[in-house]
Amino acid sequence: MCVLPWTGFYLETDGRVRSCVAQDPRSPYGNINDKDLQEIIHGPVALDLKQKMKADAKPSQCNTCHVQEHNQKRAQGISSRLYYNREVGSRIDLNVFDDDKNFELKHVDLRWDNTCNQACVYCDATSSSMWARELKQETDSNLRKTNLKVRDYVYDNVRQLVNVYLAGGEPLLMKQNLELLDRLKKHNPECTIRVNTNLNKTDTGVFEKLCEFENVHWIVSCESVGAEYEYIRYHGNWNNFATNLDHIKSLGHKISFNMLHTILNYQSILECIEHFKNKGFGDNSFVMGPLFGPLYFSVRHLPQSILEETIRKFETRIVSAKDNLKNSLENCVDYMRSPHTKNIQLFEYFINKLDKRRKQDWRKIFPKLAEVYNV
């Protein structure tokens, strides 16, 4: 069983609605561009999911959690199912499970739209308005109008929420989040708030409002430092990021680093981890995983000798690592060892195309990788 089909929903930037981020995106409940939110939540896909769970049938849409729980070595922390059963399930009336038609909103995962101030190299226009602008793709204005209905539903139920997850795009930019936080501060200040952010934009009031709450978990996206950070997270500013990180650290809030291992930071990601550990962050603060797409940034395109050297460095670090960091390093090693057809020319084609459009030179930012590539 998972509590979310009875108590929560996840809104994607394109309007799709699922029970949570881990549910198979190919099997959403529906899309708010086509149907009303409540019609989606109580619709046939959601009811079928509930019935399968109650029959212990392990629905295929939830394979991510099933696999993660089955193979703990690959697990990065606990699964979404176990997390929400712990955080939400302990604060609900269990009678809600008596009827498949029941639904009592306790959790929301909101990605209102793709508004973002960065165009990370591995992202796309669906999740970043800066990418959309760069590619001259218009943002769907109809989606923002439809989101008003979702907003009203969430605002009307703000008193009963126990867990809120804000992501994007970039959640610090979204005025809907400021309005939601104002209501939570007034009516439900004890609610747990998690925010997945690049921690760069703070002049909209959302950052300052989040700092007023006690139960905040900052999930900070960062996998490199300095010039590498600003290349990978295009339009990002490292000094601005570092200042904001120091500020939230001083508040005593929980902070985690959400990190992607790519061909660009194939070994420097370890230096990034050490940078944050020197600032006082423990092994449980790091959740790192391999980049599965786009494939041309996969670390597995490295020459085999360099890949083996990287594996050895990761394994050396595993010996002393604990908690999430140990799991993350093991997961990355498993990925680097898995079969793969190397195509460094694919990486060259796409990164040179990116550099030409952005007037950059990756070889200057990643000289070690450029040396490997030249050889």
Side-chain angles (χ1 to χ4, degrees):
M1 291 287 287
C2 175
V3 299
L4 288 189
W6 282 266
T7 62
F9 70 89
Y10 159 62
L11 174 67
E12 290 194 72
T13 57
D14 61 3
R16 283 180 294 175
V17 175
R18 293 183 263 160
S19 64
C20 79
V21 67
Q23 183 182 334
D24 191 336
R26 297 168 297 182
S27 306
Y29 285 172
N31 194 303
I32 58 171
N33 289 304
D34 306 319
K35 295 180 180 179
D36 181 76
L37 177 63
Q38 295 214 52
E39 184 182 354
I40 292 172
I41 290 172
H42 295 281
V45 179
L47 286 175
D48 179 67
L49 185 63
K50 290 176 178 179
Q51 290 164 2
K52 287 178 178 176
M53 284 186 176
K54 291 176 77 170
D56 197 24
K58 291 187 177 179
S60 60
Q61 303 100 306
C62 303
N63 273 345
T64 298
C65 286
H66 299 154
V67 171
Q68 190 173 9
E69 292 165 18
H70 176 73
N71 191 344
Q72 287 300 316
K73 185 179 179 183
R74 291 181 181 272
Q76 299 176 44
I78 62 174
S79 68
S80 288
R81 185 184 77 91
L82 294 178
Y83 171 83
Y84 289 114
N85 281 357
R86 183 186 69 192
E87 298 296 324
V88 178
S90 60
R91 294 191 275 177
I92 63 173
D93 183 348
L94 296 182
N95 291 328
V96 72
F97 297 107
D98 291 346
D99 191 333
D100 296 338
K101 295 179 181 179
N102 287 344
F103 186 88
E104 185 176 350
L105 188 66
K106 295 292 183 181
H107 163 77
V108 288
D109 181 337
L110 300 169
R111 301 151 197 241
W112 299 105
D113 53 51
N114 69 341
T115 301
C116 190
N117 54 339
Q118 294 184 354
C120 301
V121 293
Y122 46 69
C123 196
D124 55 41
T126 301
S127 300
S128 167
S129 57
M130 291 301 286
W131 256 108
R133 185 183 305 174
E134 183 176 320
L135 298 177
K136 296 180 173 57
Q137 296 179 7
E138 293 185 10
T139 301
D140 187 355
S141 58
N142 182 54
L143 176 59
R144 293 184 176 176
K145 293 178 182 177
T146 313
N147 270 339
L148 294 176
K149 297 179 181 178
V150 178
R151 183 198 67 181
D152 292 342
Y153 175 70
V154 173
Y155 290 178
D156 289 344
N157 291 278
V158 74
R159 287 178 172 83
Q160 64 190 46
L161 291 172
V162 299
N163 192 288
V164 170
Y165 188 89
L166 304 177
E170 173 46 53
L172 298 185
L173 291 176
M174 299 176 186
K175 67 177 183 178
Q176 299 98 321
N177 289 335
L178 184 58
E179 295 168 355
L180 174 59
L181 291 171
D182 281 337
R183 284 164 173 77
L184 283 171
K185 188 66 177 176
K186 181 178 180 180
H187 302 293
N188 190 359
E190 301 302 315
C191 180
T192 297
I193 303 170
R194 294 183 299 150
V195 55
N196 193 325
T197 173
N198 60 45
L199 208 58
N200 250 228
K201 188 76 173 178
T202 58
D203 59 1
T204 59
V206 178
F207 178 84
E208 291 77 10
K209 183 62 67 173
L210 280 164
C211 291
E212 296 177 9
F213 287 82
E214 290 187 11
N215 302 323
V216 180
H217 180 183
W218 299 84
I219 302 168
V220 180
S221 298
C222 179
E223 55 277 295
S224 50
V225 302
E228 284 193 15
Y229 170 91
E230 293 181 352
Y231 183 96
I232 292 174
R233 312 194 70 81
Y234 189 53
H235 296 298
N237 182 288
W238 172 252
N239 290 332
N240 178 246
F241 168 87
T243 298
N244 293 336
L245 179 63
D246 287 342
H247 180 72
I248 61 173
K249 190 173 185 293
S250 71
L251 300 174
H253 288 170
K254 182 177 181 181
I255 301 172
S256 298
F257 295 97
N258 187 26
M259 315 177 84
L260 284 173
H261 187 215
T262 75
I263 192 172
L264 294 174
N265 62 349
Y266 67 100
Q267 289 184 8
S268 64
I269 194 169
L270 298 177
E271 298 168 11
C272 180
I273 290 170
E274 288 307 307
H275 172 82
F276 291 129
K277 284 180 70 67
N278 289 336
K279 284 183 166 288
F281 292 98
D283 287 10
N284 212 33
S285 300
F286 302 98
V287 179
M288 174 178 60
L291 179 75
F292 292 107
L295 281 177
Y296 44 85
F297 282 128
S298 170
V299 68
R300 295 186 301 189
H301 288 308
L302 286 168
Q304 194 60 32
S305 61
I306 303 300
L307 195 61
E308 291 294 338
E309 176 191 327
T310 304
I311 290 172
R312 286 194 297 272
K313 288 193 173 186
F314 273 59
E315 289 179 329
T316 299
R317 188 67 184 81
I318 287 171
V319 174
S320 60
K322 303 183 296 294
D323 303 322
N324 284 348
L325 179 56
K326 181 180 177 66
N327 289 334
S328 296
L329 292 166
E330 289 176 339
N331 195 47
C332 287
V333 168
D334 285 347
Y335 177 78
M336 286 187 280
R337 281 187 168 146
S338 58
H340 178 68
T341 302
K342 295 183 182 298
N343 189 346
I344 195 72
Q345 289 79 16
L346 191 66
F347 162 75
E348 177 196 21
Y349 171 79
F350 280 100
I351 200 165
N352 286 342
K353 185 178 179 181
L354 192 70
D355 275 357
K356 183 178 180 180
R357 191 167 63 241
R358 295 179 175 180
K359 296 179 174 58
Q360 293 184 306
D361 186 352
W362 68 271
R363 293 170 180 81
K364 293 181 180 179
I365 308 299
F366 308 94
K368 188 174 181 180
L369 177 61
E371 183 180 343
V372 169
Y373 172 77
N374 289 336
V375 172

